[in-house]
Amino acid sequence: MEQTGKANLTAPLLQPNGSVAVDFPHESSKSDKKTRKVVLRIREIQCASCAASIESVVGDMKGVESISVSPLHGQAIIKYNPEFINAKRIKDAIEDLNFEVDEFPDQEIAVCRLRIKGMACTSCSESVERALLMVDGVKRAIVGLALEEAKIHFDPNVTDSVHLIEAIEDAGFGADLISSGDDFNKVHLKVEGLNSSEDATIIKSYLEAVEGVNHIEIDEVSHKVIVAYDPHLTGPRSLIECIQEAGHGPNIYHASLYTTTRVRETEQHHEITAYRNQFLWSCLFSVPVFMFSMVLPMFSPVGDWLSYKLYNNLTVGMLLRWVFCTPVQFIIGWRFYVGSYHALRRGSANMDVLVALGTNAAYFYSIYIVIKALTSESFEGQDFFETSSMLISFILLGKYLEVVAKGKTSDALAKLTELAPDTATVLSLDVDGNVISETELSTQLLQRNDVIKIVPGSKVPVDGVVIRGQSHVNESMITGEAKAVAKRPGDKVIGGTVNENGCILIKATHVGSETALSQIVQLVEAAQLARAPVQKLADKISRFFVPMVVVAAFITWLGWFIPGETHLYPRSWIPKAMDGFELALQFGISVLVVACPCALGLATPTAVMVATGKGASQGVLIKGGNALEKAHKVKAVVFDKTGTLTIGRPAVVQIKNFSKISLQELCKLAAAAEVNSEHPLAKAVIEHSKKLHQQYGFSDDHLLEAKDFEVHPGAGVGASIGGKRVLVGNKRLMLAFQVSVSPEIQDYVSDMEHLARTCILVAVDGVICGAFAVSDPLKPEAGRVVSFLNSMSISSIMVTGDNWATATAIAREVGIEKVFAETDPVGKAERIKDLQMEGLTVAMVGDGINDSPALVAADVGMAIGAGTDIAIEAADVVLIKSNLEDVITAIDLSRKTLARIRLNYVWALGYNVLGMPIAAGILYPFTGIRLPPWLAGACMAASSLSVVCSSLLLQSYKKPLQVQDAQGRGDYLNYV
């Protein structure tokens, strides 16, 4: 991560991307939490009397605080308390007065995340999505199968998270609330002494008096207080102190953090344990059935007792198989009945339907055999109890192994969340900066502006800035950069990184959900939830897959039963102790249970989960499956120059004076004009001016005031300083303002540009007085990256606002052949579109505000992590450690992931295409090979497991071009 100064300490290191819909907390006041406003469009308001009648009726409703109806605009503005009334009731009341009220405009959108239980395939996730979208007020719903989560955008005036959970449960799935939109800055406190409603009232009144407290929830039964707060104004320690100050006399309150276990890990553990236990219980009953059916009868003396007839043709073996199979079918296998019921009720079909159909066919046909044997002295038949019990056992084994493997797909994300330490040492300082006391606190209790002591070997708890001491910090866990980064006073540090060899004091600048680590986790979670376009194939197939399998199974049964009854195939094909109906039934059941829709549904999301998590651990944040998929098609990479190909810290290497004006005056005028500019070249001029003042001890070292400041994108700036009109910029700016450029100046500019230096001209009142020659050194890896991209058959292009000569010199040095120079921000976006018109998939790599239009226009926008927040927000991929080698990592990881997804689809589709015909008996007439139903069920379970394990292989991904790589040129073909 690049070292930076104290500037922009209040800005988060990473900003959310709207396309991925990552939601960060917004500031809100207490009144906003207690009162909501809704604007309704009302038709047929003809006069003030109509408005008065609406105001009278609605104003008298409990919870309505104010209403204003405008006949002119045909709208009503109502403020109300959501604890007593909602917008729908207000709308209904107005409609009861015979006025037509339009649908609510999207004035307020809330977001919540829910954990979904019971999803097995794409059909399940689509059913949950449909159920959510049918709820009034839901604007958008995204359901992630592999992540087992849903993210819902809804109108809080119409619905809430409780109704959303009910809708999911009505669809046959479980749901728990993970977070709501305002959960990011909430603290959960356990309060000893909170025993009555009087205590709750006292505590609430004290907390409401604290500035920055937005919302308070008090649970007297569990002695729990939840406070939503603004971290800019208060923090958890202040809230704890406030609660304890509320205690007087006999009412003493002691508040502490309410620690909860990690929900996701706990639920994963419970799910794994549940499947394991179900499998073991099923084995307890299925193994005896298998032994009685398949093993013991093969050993004549040992298994003869199983053939002993109890009544008519009912044998001991048949009765025992029935007794042991029934608990497996109806108790252990009950989950398949429940899943089938809910799937069929919502008009869809999933794996549970196939399993239930197959096992029921085997079980109830076996019951028929038992009844016939019990009632007939001559009837002989073969029961399939082992088919039913073994099938359920193998499917449960497969699900157990699958959930274990799926848990590993989020390992990288789990490791990120565990980076922050549990405790931190907070210092109290006096006015002179001397340490008064040290206190060890939970990281969750840290607040902004806390001074924290970081000793060698310990982790940095939150984002902050070094205020004292020097050290080297290992940031590899966040950025992937193996080399430790030197930290001095004024440098930023990131929470979760490790201090190596010096003791430093830092001031906390971002805590809780605002830290870079928290935002990285949220970005990765959002990316894993976003659906990749390649997944559409699985979605389309899942809609008709199960009905098609049921039809295929029925056709298989008919295809074997009818020829058998009409003797169209030899009687020798039918195994001993079977008849034609039983053989046909076994083939039909095998087709039902061998088909696996789950493998198709897991092919894409599991690979995306592993890839985005692995990318984050390598310092590459990929914002969603869409960006991941597009990146693998990239054929051209467009680089910005300043801060992207170059280090981004340009320095003035020479000053040339073309007039009688003093060097001091020239520097002061140029620095005053550039002080309001964010451009790196402007900062170089200002820094150089300051150094000259310090070096020569100028007495008057304050900056002059600049008025009428103007920015001319891609050219420079202008301002009025001390009554003089000053222009600072390139030759294009001078020509635009009719400033004469003499041959001497042109020769100097040309000489500097051929040395890859940028010339900044300074004109005062229409006359060029001097020039600053600025050099920005190239990043050491730039040449290697361009060379490696060429070996990947990807062309490199440079686009910059700098002059042609400098741009060409830089491009020649790194090996870029195509250059667009003297291009403004809009022009950069147009160059991108021109390349796209040529049929190229274009990636744009940039770092500044002026790169944002191009980042958005490109198929894949890649932002340098040390760049501006706007650039990071506009990008699809964020390179956290600002290293160009990660451009290759992002593209290569995308290629590897898409190749893995295709392999998953080939396996999942190929398995079904090959498995179903074999299960249907296509090989049986020629080879005598058939797939018994229990073995078909084992194959079905193995297919899902194989797809998840295939995706897990992405965890072994290694960068194609390492930072320590000493080679000048990478050979991508050899790497592949």
Side-chain angles (χ1 to χ4, degrees):
M1 185 70 83
E2 297 290 334
Q3 296 176 16
T4 55
K6 297 183 181 180
N8 299 322
L9 294 184
T10 57
L13 295 179
L14 291 172
Q15 290 287 349
N17 185 340
S19 64
V20 183
V22 183
D23 299 284
F24 296 105
H26 300 282
E27 294 182 30
S28 57
S29 63
K30 280 187 274 187
S31 61
D32 290 337
K33 288 289 176 182
K34 292 180 180 178
T35 304
R36 282 185 182 160
K37 183 176 79 170
V38 63
V39 180
L40 301 178
R41 289 191 293 269
I42 305 173
R43 297 184 183 179
E44 301 176 4
I45 301 182
Q46 299 174 354
C47 60
S49 176
C50 298
S53 63
I54 294 171
E55 289 177 350
S56 174
V57 171
V58 175
D60 290 340
M61 298 176 75
K62 184 179 180 182
V64 174
E65 297 183 357
S66 69
I67 176 171
S68 174
V69 180
S70 169
L72 183 62
H73 297 101
Q75 70 176 23
I77 302 173
I78 305 113
K79 289 184 179 179
Y80 65 96
N81 189 326
E83 293 179 5
F84 301 105
I85 196 169
N86 58 32
K88 191 174 187 306
R89 282 178 55 195
I90 296 171
K91 179 186 175 216
D92 292 341
I94 298 173
E95 287 177 338
D96 289 342
L97 297 172
N98 295 320
F99 293 101
E100 188 177 342
V101 182
D102 284 351
E103 284 294 317
F104 309 133
D106 294 342
Q107 302 154 57
E108 185 180 358
I109 298 297
V111 181
C112 74
R113 287 171 57 220
L114 303 176
R115 190 169 317 286
I116 313 296
K117 302 173 186 175
M119 292 194 299
C121 59
T122 310
S123 174
C124 299
S125 61
E126 285 191 335
S127 298
V128 173
E129 212 165 277
R130 282 197 301 271
L132 288 168
L133 290 171
M134 289 172 66
V135 177
D136 288 340
V138 172
K139 307 299 179 184
R140 185 178 174 220
I142 306 169
V143 180
L145 174 62
L147 203 59
E148 295 179 332
E149 286 185 13
K151 189 169 189 177
I152 306 105
H153 299 246
F154 62 95
D155 185 347
N157 297 314
V158 180
T159 189
D160 55 26
S161 58
V162 175
H163 289 94
L164 297 175
I165 291 172
E166 288 174 357
I168 293 170
E169 289 174 345
D170 288 343
F173 301 93
D176 292 320
L177 181 67
I178 299 174
S179 67
S180 56
D182 57 355
D183 274 356
F184 291 111
N185 288 310
K186 272 188 178 179
V187 62
H188 297 246
L189 303 174
K190 190 170 185 65
V191 182
E192 295 176 15
L194 173 59
N195 301 312
S196 65
S197 56
E198 183 184 347
D199 293 325
T201 304
I202 293 171
I203 291 171
K204 188 171 184 179
S205 64
Y206 268 77
L207 286 172
E208 284 178 338
V210 177
E211 185 182 8
V213 170
N214 297 327
H215 184 65
I216 304 161
E217 297 174 30
I218 298 179
D219 186 349
E220 298 167 24
V221 178
S222 59
H223 311 289
K224 187 171 159 186
V225 177
I226 303 172
V227 185
Y229 62 94
D230 183 345
H232 296 268
L233 301 174
T234 188
R237 287 208 313 281
S238 302
L239 299 173
I240 289 174
E241 290 170 5
C242 174
I243 291 174
Q244 293 178 170
E245 286 172 3
H248 296 289
N251 298 327
I252 302 298
Y253 306 122
H254 177 72
S256 59
L257 275 177
Y258 185 86
T259 54
T260 56
T261 55
R262 291 176 177 168
V263 178
R264 176 176 291 177
E265 287 80 354
T266 304
E267 289 188 351
Q268 277 183 352
H269 178 71
H270 286 163
E271 187 180 18
I272 290 169
T273 304
Y275 273 116
R276 185 197 64 196
N277 293 342
Q278 284 185 330
F279 168 67
L280 293 176
W281 275 107
S282 70
C283 285
L284 186 65
F285 293 97
S286 297
V287 171
V289 174
F290 182 74
M291 296 291 291
F292 298 151
S293 175
M294 311 288 285
V295 180
L296 291 180
M298 296 173 63
F299 302 97
S300 182
V302 180
D304 288 347
W305 61 277
L306 292 171
S307 302
Y308 177 75
K309 294 181 180 179
L310 295 173
Y311 187 79
N312 287 337
N313 276 330
L314 179 65
T315 63
V316 172
M318 194 178 293
L319 181 63
L320 286 174
R321 288 192 291 272
W322 182 19
V323 169
F324 278 93
C325 175
T326 301
V328 178
Q329 180 70 34
F330 295 108
I331 299 175
I332 298 168
W334 181 248
R335 63 185 306 279
F336 298 112
Y337 287 100
V338 173
S340 301
Y341 165 74
H342 287 298
L344 294 172
R345 197 185 72 167
R346 60 180 179 260
S348 64
N350 58 9
M351 185 198 75
D352 291 335
V353 173
L354 297 179
V355 174
L357 281 173
T359 56
N360 276 326
Y363 181 84
F364 287 106
Y365 176 73
S366 301
I367 293 293
Y368 163 75
I369 295 296
V370 169
I371 293 171
K372 289 290 286 184
L374 189 63
T375 57
S376 171
E377 296 180 1
S378 58
F379 176 79
E380 290 187 4
Q382 176 68 36
D383 65 83
F384 296 152
F385 285 122
E386 82 286 349
T387 295
S388 168
S389 59
M390 294 297 292
L391 179 57
I392 290 173
S393 296
F394 273 114
I395 289 170
L396 289 174
L397 172 62
K399 294 299 288 184
Y400 165 66
L401 295 174
E402 184 185 319
V403 295
V404 170
K406 277 169 66 178
K408 296 183 182 297
T409 60
S410 57
D411 273 357
L413 189 61
K415 287 175 183 175
L416 277 175
T417 59
E418 292 169 0
L419 286 177
D422 294 327
T423 60
T425 303
V426 178
L427 305 181
S428 296
L429 306 179
D430 60 18
V431 290
D432 297 323
N434 300 314
V435 178
I436 301 172
S437 64
E438 293 186 8
T439 310
E440 190 168 337
L441 295 175
S442 167
T443 305
Q444 297 177 52
L445 292 175
L446 295 178
Q447 300 180 179
R448 281 192 178 212
N449 299 319
D450 278 344
V451 176
I452 304 162
K453 179 181 177 182
I454 316 293
V455 297
S458 64
K459 289 183 178 180
V460 178
V462 292
D463 295 352
V465 62
V466 178
I467 59 172
R468 191 184 300 173
Q470 296 185 14
S471 183
H472 284 78
V473 175
N474 183 353
E475 298 180 344
S476 61
M477 59 290 299
I478 300 291
T479 67
E481 174 68 71
K483 188 178 178 182
V485 181
K487 298 293 180 182
R488 298 177 179 82
D491 290 341
K492 287 182 181 179
V493 290
I494 311 170
T497 55
V498 178
N499 181 30
E500 288 198 342
N501 53 16
C503 182
I504 54 176
L505 303 187
I506 69 166
K507 179 180 281 190
T509 57
H510 301 92
V511 297
S513 63
E514 293 182 343
T515 63
L517 181 61
S518 295
Q519 294 185 20
I520 288 170
V521 169
Q522 291 173 46
L523 281 171
V524 174
E525 284 181 339
Q528 292 178 348
L529 197 59
R531 190 170 295 174
V534 72
Q535 197 174 340
K536 291 176 182 175
L537 173 64
D539 295 343
K540 289 177 182 176
I541 293 173
S542 69
R543 293 189 183 100
F544 59 83
F545 185 86
V546 173
M548 183 186 72
V549 170
V550 174
V551 170
F554 182 70
I555 292 172
T556 299
W557 176 75
L558 284 179
W560 281 98
F561 176 64
I562 294 174
E565 291 298 307
T566 55
H567 306 291
L568 292 180
Y569 60 77
R571 180 71 180 82
S572 60
W573 286 10
I574 303 174
K576 190 179 179 182
M578 269 196 197
D579 58 24
F581 175 84
E582 293 168 349
L583 181 65
L585 183 63
Q586 280 219 350
F587 281 126
I589 294 171
S590 293
V591 171
L592 273 177
V593 297
V594 79
C596 184
C598 303
L600 281 169
L602 292 169
T604 298
T606 52
V608 170
M609 276 185 72
V610 177
T612 50
K614 187 66 179 176
S617 68
Q618 303 257 5
V620 179
L621 284 182
I622 302 173
K623 299 182 181 179
N626 193 26
L628 192 67
E629 184 171 344
K630 281 184 178 179
H632 93 283
K633 301 176 183 176
V634 167
K635 289 298 177 187
V637 176
V638 177
F639 292 96
D640 175 46
K641 182 179 76 70
T642 306
T644 302
L645 286 172
T646 62
I647 289 175
R649 288 196 295 272
V652 175
V653 293
Q654 192 180 62
I655 301 177
K656 182 75 171 177
N657 200 333
F658 297 112
S659 67
K660 295 180 180 179
I661 190 171
S662 69
L663 183 65
Q664 178 188 3
E665 184 71 14
L666 179 67
C667 289
K668 287 181 69 174
L669 289 172
E674 293 277 33
V675 74
N676 293 315
S677 175
E678 287 293 321
H679 200 282
L681 296 179
K683 292 178 181 177
V685 171
I686 296 168
E687 285 299 315
H688 190 75
S689 177
K690 288 180 179 177
K691 285 180 183 177
L692 285 179
H693 281 290
Q694 293 171 359
Q695 184 177 351
Y696 295 106
F698 294 144
S699 57
D700 184 18
D701 61 350
H702 69 277
L703 287 175
L704 300 171
E705 184 182 0
K707 298 178 180 178
D708 302 324
F709 177 78
E710 293 177 350
V711 176
H712 304 281
V717 299
S720 295
I721 303 170
K724 300 174 183 177
R725 187 61 189 169
V726 179
L727 296 174
V728 182
N730 55 25
K731 190 164 65 174
R732 187 148 48 97
L733 179 70
M734 302 301 151
L735 296 176
F737 282 84
Q738 287 82 46
V739 176
S740 175
V741 182
S742 68
E744 179 193 1
I745 296 171
Q746 288 187 9
D747 290 342
Y748 177 78
V749 170
S750 180
D751 291 342
M752 291 299 104
E753 288 174 350
H754 282 97
L755 293 172
R757 295 174 180 175
T758 301
C759 239
I760 300 175
L761 301 174
V762 182
V764 179
D765 291 333
V767 178
I768 297 177
C769 297
F772 291 81
V774 180
S775 176
D776 187 5
L778 276 172
K779 289 183 177 177
E781 74 275 9
R784 279 183 293 157
V785 169
V786 171
S787 174
F788 202 93
L789 286 171
N790 288 337
S791 70
M792 295 171 73
S793 301
I794 297 173
S795 59
S796 299
I797 300 162
M798 187 172 78
V799 59
T800 177
D802 212 337
N803 62 80
W804 276 100
T806 303
T808 305
I810 293 287
R812 191 185 306 115
E813 193 172 343
V814 296
I816 292 176
E817 295 179 359
K818 196 169 187 178
V819 179
F820 297 107
E822 298 181 9
T823 309
D824 60 17
V826 176
K828 289 182 181 182
E830 288 173 353
R831 297 292 83 77
I832 297 284
K833 290 174 183 175
D834 291 342
L835 292 168
Q836 290 168 334
M837 291 294 287
E838 296 174 15
L840 296 174
T841 301
V842 183
M844 170 70 193
V845 186
D847 71 321
I849 293 173
N850 61 340
D851 297 323
S852 299
L855 289 170
V856 173
D859 297 287
V860 181
M862 298 187 184
I864 297 294
T868 65
D869 296 334
I870 293 175
I872 291 171
E873 185 176 349
D876 302 301
V877 178
V878 178
L879 311 179
I880 300 178
K881 69 172 182 285
S882 304
N883 196 308
L884 287 178
E885 288 157 349
D886 286 338
V887 173
I888 293 169
T889 303
I891 295 172
D892 185 63
L893 179 60
S894 169
R895 290 184 175 186
K896 293 286 189 297
T897 305
L898 266 292
R900 183 61 56 183
I901 289 172
R902 290 194 190 101
L903 181 63
N904 288 350
Y905 274 132
V906 167
W907 173 251
L909 285 170
Y911 162 80
N912 284 293
V913 169
L914 294 175
M916 287 175 64
I918 294 172
I922 196 170
L923 299 179
Y924 186 62
F926 312 106
T927 63
I929 296 174
R930 65 187 179 91
L931 205 60
W934 62 269
L935 188 56
C939 292
M940 185 266 281
S943 69
S944 295
L945 180 63
S946 63
V947 166
V948 177
C949 290
S950 171
S951 296
L952 282 173
L953 290 175
L954 284 169
Q955 287 191 339
S956 62
Y957 173 81
K958 293 197 181 334
K959 293 183 177 184
L961 187 62
Q962 297 289 343
V963 176
Q964 297 88 355
D965 192 352
Q967 296 178 358
R969 290 182 175 270
D971 188 352
Y972 185 70
L973 296 177
N974 290 339
Y975 165 74
V976 173

